[in-house]
């Protein structure tokens, strides 16, 4: 018996070792305890399974594993604001050119057909013009172009002079000649635009030159206010069509820009003051 027990212990069989250690315990119960302890040791010695993405275990295959997330491809964004901006610019040009006549009512759907767009961006652009005072809303009909008289144009010219003349005089004292020389192409561009005889083309070039001059002040609020007044001063008067201000008037007005630059370079404050005042007065009289 001792030899049998010893021989079984030497075989390395875990069940035999547990049986030898459990003397006095019924053999069936001892074997059950030995198997339980062996399973415990086996689990403790087994390497831990590492979970993978989606809850699956390495080496384990599962059909319930969710698919990897699909990153959606970026969609092109429709620039609705740019469409509205283009329509707004076109309406402003039509207003200056006299295509939108004072006192007339225009509907958004009709204008949309003209521009080849829906009524929505036209209506939004017209609402912006209403905020600027160019048109007024007519319920269930559309927008009426505001009728303006000579007095309103003269008042705008006076306000513009009160704002721009002091700024230009200050700039004439402080801005070096080479900075003024950089604006020479813009002044010459106004002359070419005036030679075309198109009021809308000249109006845009005219605003561009004045905006560039005032931008040298470094005051963005002043530039925005002055440009808004300038744009309003370019709207046509009651009964005024595209030909009220002819090519000769536009060219004369444009040449005042080059003369103003010469005075600014020379720092001749008296000439600067006179030219700016005459420039605004002439625009008001010829509007």
């Amino acid at each position: 018996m001792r030899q049998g027990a010893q021989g079984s212990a030497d075989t390395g069989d875990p069940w035999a070792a547990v049986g030898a250690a459990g003397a006095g315990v019924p053999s069936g119960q001892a074997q059950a305890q030995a198997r339980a302890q062996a399973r415990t040791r086996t689990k403790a010695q087994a390497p831990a399974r590492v979970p993978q993405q989606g809850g699956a275990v390495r080496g384990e295959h599962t059909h319930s594993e969710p698919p990897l997330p699909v990153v959606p491809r970026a969609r092109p964004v429709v620039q609705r604001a740019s469409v509205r901006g283009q329509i707004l610019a076109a309406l402003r040009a039509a207003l200056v050119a006299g295509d939108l006549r004072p006192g007339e009512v225009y509907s958004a759907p009709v204008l949309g057909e003209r521009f080849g767009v829906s009524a929505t961006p036209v209506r939004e652009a017209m609402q912006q013009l209403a905020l600027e005072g160019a048109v007024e809303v007519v319920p269930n009909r559309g927008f009426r172009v505001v009728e303006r008289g000579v007095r309103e144009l003269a008042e705008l010219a006076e306000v513009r002079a009160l704002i721009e003349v002091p700024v230009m005089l200050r700039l004439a004292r402080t801005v070096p000649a080479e900075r003024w020389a950089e604006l020479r192409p813009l002044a010459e561009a106004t002359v070419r635009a005036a030679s075309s005889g198109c009021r809308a083309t000249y109006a845009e070039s005219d605003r561009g030159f004045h905006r560039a001059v005032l931008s040298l002040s470094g005051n963005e609020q002043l530039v925005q206010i002055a440009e808004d007044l300038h744009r309003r001063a370019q709207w046509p008067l009651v009964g005024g069509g595209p030909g009220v201000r002819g090519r000769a008037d536009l060219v004369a007005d444009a040449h005042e820009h080059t003369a103003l630059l010469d005075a600014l370079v020379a720092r001749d404050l008296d000439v600067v003051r006179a030219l700016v005042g005459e420039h605004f007065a002439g625009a008001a009289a010829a509007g």
Side-chain angles (χ1 to χ4, degrees), residues 165 168-169 172 256-279:
V165 170
M168 290 191 183
L169 291 176
E256 291 177 356
H257 294 151
T258 56
L260 176 61
L261 271 185
D262 293 337
L264 290 169
V265 170
R267 296 191 174 182
D268 193 332
L269 303 185
D270 292 334
V271 175
V272 170
R273 184 182 294 107
L275 282 173
V276 177
E278 293 174 3
H279 188 65

Side-chain angles (χ1 to χ4, degrees), residues 13-272:
D13 186 356
W15 304 114
V18 173
V25 180
S27 59
Q29 184 177 358
Q31 291 179 1
Q33 290 180 352
R35 291 191 183 94
Q37 292 176 5
R39 283 198 297 269
T40 302
R41 286 197 301 269
T42 302
K43 290 181 180 180
Q45 295 173 358
R49 291 183 294 179
V50 180
Q52 294 180 339
Q53 185 177 2
V57 178
R58 181 177 300 172
E60 180 180 354
H61 178 72
T62 173
H63 294 285
S64 62
E65 183 175 324
L68 293 176
V70 178
V71 179
R73 185 175 297 178
R75 294 182 178 179
V77 179
V78 178
Q79 299 294 336
R80 179 177 175 181
S82 65
V83 175
R84 182 174 63 247
Q86 293 174 19
I87 298 299
L88 178 60
L91 290 174
R92 283 171 172 167
L95 188 67
V96 174
D99 295 334
L100 298 180
R101 303 182 67 85
E104 296 291 331
V105 178
Y106 299 90
S107 68
V110 172
L111 291 175
E113 292 180 1
R114 179 185 303 182
F115 292 118
V117 298
S118 67
T120 300
V122 176
R123 188 176 294 108
E124 292 173 347
M126 277 295 200
Q127 289 171 349
Q128 176 60 35
L129 288 178
L131 293 175
E132 297 175 2
V135 300
E136 57 186 7
V137 179
V138 181
N140 301 323
R141 292 185 60 192
F143 302 86
R144 177 186 290 113
V145 179
V146 173
E147 298 177 301
R148 304 184 317 129
V150 176
R151 178 175 179 177
E152 181 178 347
L153 194 60
E155 291 174 350
L156 287 170
E158 181 180 2
V159 176
R160 289 185 64 201
L162 290 173
I163 293 177
E164 295 193 33
V165 170
V167 175
M168 290 191 183
L169 291 176
R170 176 168 59 86
L171 294 176
R173 300 186 188 97
T174 57
V175 175
E178 55 269 19
R179 293 296 304 276
W180 293 123
E182 295 174 358
L183 303 186
R184 184 74 60 179
L186 292 177
E188 295 172 350
T190 64
V191 176
R192 292 192 299 271
S195 300
S196 70
C198 177
R199 294 182 62 182
T201 301
Y202 176 69
E204 183 176 356
S205 181
D206 184 25
R207 290 197 312 273
F209 173 78
H210 282 264
R211 181 171 58 249
V213 172
L214 295 178
S215 294
L216 295 176
S217 68
N219 189 331
E220 281 299 320
Q221 300 302 317
L222 182 145
V223 173
Q224 293 179 11
I225 293 173
E227 184 165 5
D228 178 64
L229 293 171
H230 195 170
R231 180 181 290 109
R232 293 172 59 189
Q234 294 172 334
W235 297 337
L237 300 178
V238 175
V244 170
R245 209 174 175 199
R247 185 190 306 247
D249 296 325
L250 298 180
V251 171
D253 191 77
H255 278 298
E256 291 177 356
H257 294 151
T258 56
L260 176 61
L261 271 185
D262 293 337
L264 290 169
V265 170
R267 296 191 174 182
D268 193 332
L269 303 185
D270 292 334
V271 175
V272 170

